[in-house]
Amino acid sequence: MYRIILSLSLSLLFNAIATPVAAGPLEELASSAGKDPDKLVKLGDLYVEAMKLKKAKATYKKALLAARQQNLAEVKFGLARIDIAKGKFRTAKRTCRLIEHKQKKPAVSAVCSGWLWLSQDRSARAMDDFNKAIALKDLARGHTGVGEAYRRRTEYQEAEKAYRAALDGGAGHVAWLGLAMALESNNDKAGALKALKAAVEAEPASCLAHYHYGRLLKNGDEAIAHLDTAIAIRPDWAEAYVALGNAHLSGGKGEEASTAFQRAVKAEPTHGIAHWGLGRALHQLGRRDEAKVALGKAIELAPDLTEGYLLLAKIQQASGDFDGTLETLEKARAVAGQKVEVYLVSGLVYFSLGRHTSARSHLNKAISLKPKLSKAYAILGDIACERRLYDAGRGYYDSALKGDLVDVNKNDIIRRKAECKPKR
């Protein structure tokens, strides 16, 4: 979900060299912009990023009144971004063309058209326009657009090259953001964090920079501070509240996490992940009944949310609702037939209920998906020994000891193996 948000937001922006902003994100920038067309355009861009489209339009219009002839193209580009954000693609397309023909700014028009095409998932057409901008010496915005086109095509190494070329050309926080997402998608978390830190430094009033930096940091006071800043810039932002809730949850702060997830749900009632987060927080607080309600809503809204089913089943089992537990696990298997956790948990639940045939079936399925699953082998050993199949039981324990040893105690398995023999 966070990648969708970045892609949408990047579609609405163009790069500019950032001016340092003091505390108070957008408000202080607004107070210092005065009648400077360039500062007003930049402020309008940040309003679009924060999805404050009415303020963005008013700011661009103010810039239009203050603009000299050379600034008009940038103001028009800003107005086109609002239309893109609203899905008014035909209107945006006309504006992009007018920038070229009336304002005589083909480079700005090319960048405008490039982002318009990207917003419609037409990466090849977009890349043609961005390359045109590069040929017209708009290196920062042209290379940034090329990078975004490559990133959406999951060509992350090419995207990284383009974003770095954009930064060499004077690009600002949008290029840093794109670079970070390309690096993260290519499993380079350290590089992504470094790029996001640079994005925050390049534009302290960017809600996206603070959000993604805090999200990737995940927990700790620093992550929470950045997520709080993102929310201050863009209130009622469900994704930011979800990330904030996760950060609090990782730190064991269930009450704070619950509050953040509740705000996410209020901002976007159909956000399944927000309901799941709320369920996790309530479970951490020991509020089982409320957690079950939240998790039920989560899997209703996000039917493929395997983790939601598993946590709900865990709570149901702890509450003694074994029929509900088995029903929930059946639903989980229906939507996640290739996830080892679903079959492992199912096997453990059936084993706890003494239903060994079903337990063996699900544990063997889990092993077929993950051959060195020590926990599954250990339980199969227990079942075999209870059935007085001692050789088979010791064989399962040996397999457990040779496996991944995740969530098991090696010495305990050795003890159980030693006890798996006829009683004298």
Side-chain angles (χ1 to χ4, degrees), residues 92-109:
K93 185 176 182 179
R94 286 197 296 270
T95 302
C96 293
R97 287 178 173 175
L98 286 173
I99 293 171
E100 179 175 12
H101 298 304
K102 287 195 173 183
Q103 302 302 320
K104 308 299 183 183
K105 296 287 184 178
V108 181
S109 175

Side-chain angles (χ1 to χ4, degrees), residues 4-232:
I4 295 173
I5 289 174
L6 179 67
S7 296
L8 173 61
S9 300
L10 284 178
S11 301
L12 311 178
L13 298 174
F14 72 97
N15 257 343
I17 299 175
T19 303
V21 180
L26 291 182
E27 290 75 11
E28 185 139 342
L29 184 59
S31 67
S32 65
K35 294 184 178 181
D36 185 313
D38 292 329
K39 290 183 178 180
L40 288 168
V41 168
K42 174 189 169 182
L43 177 60
D45 295 344
L46 291 169
Y47 277 137
V48 172
E49 180 182 320
M51 295 305 291
K52 297 181 177 181
L53 301 183
K54 289 184 179 179
K55 285 191 174 183
K57 188 171 184 178
T59 302
Y60 287 134
K61 285 187 174 181
K62 187 176 179 182
L64 193 62
L65 293 173
R68 299 177 295 277
Q69 183 62 34
Q70 62 266 32
N71 299 109
L72 291 177
E74 301 295 347
V75 177
K76 293 290 187 182
F77 183 14
L79 293 171
R81 281 194 291 276
I82 294 176
D83 287 325
I84 292 172
K86 292 180 176 180
K88 296 181 178 180
F89 300 130
R90 289 185 179 180
T91 305
K93 185 176 182 179
R94 286 197 296 270
T95 302
C96 293
R97 287 178 173 175
L98 286 173
I99 293 171
E100 179 175 12
H101 298 304
K102 287 195 173 183
Q103 302 302 320
K104 308 299 183 183
K105 296 287 184 178
V108 181
S109 175
V111 175
C112 182
S113 295
W115 286 110
L116 175 60
W117 288 121
L118 273 185
S119 69
Q120 299 173 80
D121 296 322
R122 303 282 298 277
S123 60
R125 291 290 300 271
M127 200 172 291
D128 288 342
D129 281 314
F130 289 131
N131 281 322
K132 179 180 178 181
I134 292 170
L136 293 167
K137 307 303 182 184
D138 197 335
L139 302 180
R141 295 188 292 194
H143 284 298
T144 297
V146 169
E148 179 62 7
Y150 276 126
R151 191 179 72 83
R152 295 190 188 198
R153 287 157 57 165
T154 68
E155 298 178 37
Y156 300 123
Q157 291 183 337
E158 293 301 320
E160 180 182 347
K161 291 178 185 177
Y163 285 127
R164 293 194 185 281
L167 292 165
D168 289 341
H173 81 285
V174 180
W176 282 116
L177 278 169
L179 175 61
M181 299 313 297
L183 291 170
E184 183 183 3
S185 297
N186 213 24
N187 299 313
D188 183 359
K189 180 180 176 181
L193 281 170
K194 185 176 179 181
L196 287 169
K197 183 178 181 181
V200 170
E201 291 172 349
E203 184 46 81
S206 167
C207 62
L208 280 174
H210 287 287
Y211 163 70
H212 285 289
Y213 195 29
R215 173 189 61 77
L216 202 57
L217 285 170
K218 290 187 179 179
N219 54 36
D221 293 339
E222 186 179 6
I224 291 168
H226 284 288
L227 292 167
D228 282 339
T229 300
I231 291 167

